[in-house]
Amino acid sequence: YQERTRIEEQFGRVVRAVIDVPFSHGTLALNSAQTDPFSPWHIEVLEDFTQALSDGFRRLEDLMQLEERNRELLDQVHQRRGAETALRDSERRYRGLVENLPVGVSHTLPDGGLVYQNPAALAIHGHSLTELQSMSARDLYVDPSDRDDLIGNLDRKGSHTYEVQLRHRDGHAVWTRNTSTVVRDQEGEVLYFLAISEDVTEQRRLQLH
């Protein structure tokens, strides 16, 4: 399939080894300029990581279904009494699910307001919920213009998948892979941006070495 040629063109170097580790939603692929660089320990670590990815994606699918249910409940608020109680129950279930996800989940406003961050998201950048109250989403980016690029893509497409560097509270950069989606109300007005984030700093490091 000319995979070697494509990889070498993409990374700009000679590739002598490739390892593909399948998981529920695709394949994690690493390459190296060395011969036989991947030990049984590397393979075991990668298999553990892809298992965590599979679990995360399955939970993410549950999360997306719950997001859809929340939208339905928002519509029902205007149609019948008692929907507010049902929405609060749904939000509690939603928060209970999201708080335990192994991937970061965040809600941000178009103006940069940080509405919500689950524990995994907080771990990625190291800030506390209290600190985030006085910050803007742009403050979390190594290059704040990346936030502008994201908003532009969301305006055009409604959702966007991308990798970006965030600035950790301690000062170092963290690479994340993200999928962001615009959440709207029944009139089509933007409520917030939902972002699912995964720390891929170690994957980047392994690819470079």
Side-chain angles (χ1 to χ4, degrees), residues 6-191:
R6 292 198 304 272
I7 294 175
E8 290 181 344
E9 289 176 351
Q10 180 179 357
F11 289 92
R13 66 179 184 182
V14 174
V15 173
R16 289 189 168 86
V18 176
I19 182 170
D20 294 329
V21 185
F23 64 101
S24 62
H25 287 67
T27 301
L28 174 64
L30 300 178
N31 66 74
S32 174
Q34 302 176 19
T35 301
D36 295 330
F38 303 112
S39 68
W41 178 82
H42 288 119
I43 296 173
E44 182 178 353
V45 169
L46 291 173
E47 288 177 338
D48 289 343
F49 180 75
T50 53
Q51 180 60 51
L53 277 181
S54 296
D55 293 342
F57 274 108
R58 281 192 289 268
R59 293 182 182 181
L60 179 58
E61 289 171 351
D62 293 339
L63 170 62
M64 291 303 186
Q65 292 176 4
L66 197 50
E67 282 282 342
E68 180 61 29
R69 176 57 179 161
N70 279 346
R71 294 191 190 98
E72 293 173 357
L73 288 174
L74 282 172
D75 291 339
Q76 294 172 10
V77 165
H78 303 282
Q79 300 173 17
R80 69 172 187 242
R81 299 181 63 179
E84 290 183 358
T85 300
L87 179 58
R88 286 195 295 269
D89 290 341
S90 179
E91 288 175 343
R92 282 195 293 269
R93 292 194 299 271
Y94 169 80
R95 188 174 294 272
L97 170 65
V98 171
E99 292 289 303
N100 294 292
L101 280 174
V103 293
V105 178
S106 61
H107 297 173
T108 62
L109 301 177
D111 64 3
L114 297 162
V115 179
Y116 172 74
Q117 302 257 309
N118 76 339
L122 296 175
I124 288 175
H125 52 68
H127 290 281
S128 67
L129 288 173
T130 301
E131 291 171 332
L132 293 178
Q133 291 176 1
S134 61
M135 297 175 63
S136 167
R138 290 171 60 87
D139 298 330
L140 299 177
Y141 289 76
V142 170
D143 183 353
S145 67
D146 287 333
R147 172 72 179 180
D148 301 327
D149 293 339
L150 169 62
I151 293 176
N153 278 288
L154 291 177
D155 285 342
R156 291 190 298 273
K157 302 182 296 183
S159 65
H160 184 51
T161 298
Y162 57 100
E163 291 190 2
V164 72
Q165 279 187 303
L166 300 182
R167 190 182 306 281
H168 193 274
R169 185 176 185 275
D170 294 337
H172 64 272
V174 180
W175 275 104
T176 61
R177 181 178 297 121
N178 313 272
T179 297
S180 293
T181 304
V182 179
V183 178
R184 302 178 183 273
D185 62 18
Q186 62 179 4
E187 281 80 32
E189 295 297 321
V190 175
L191 293 174

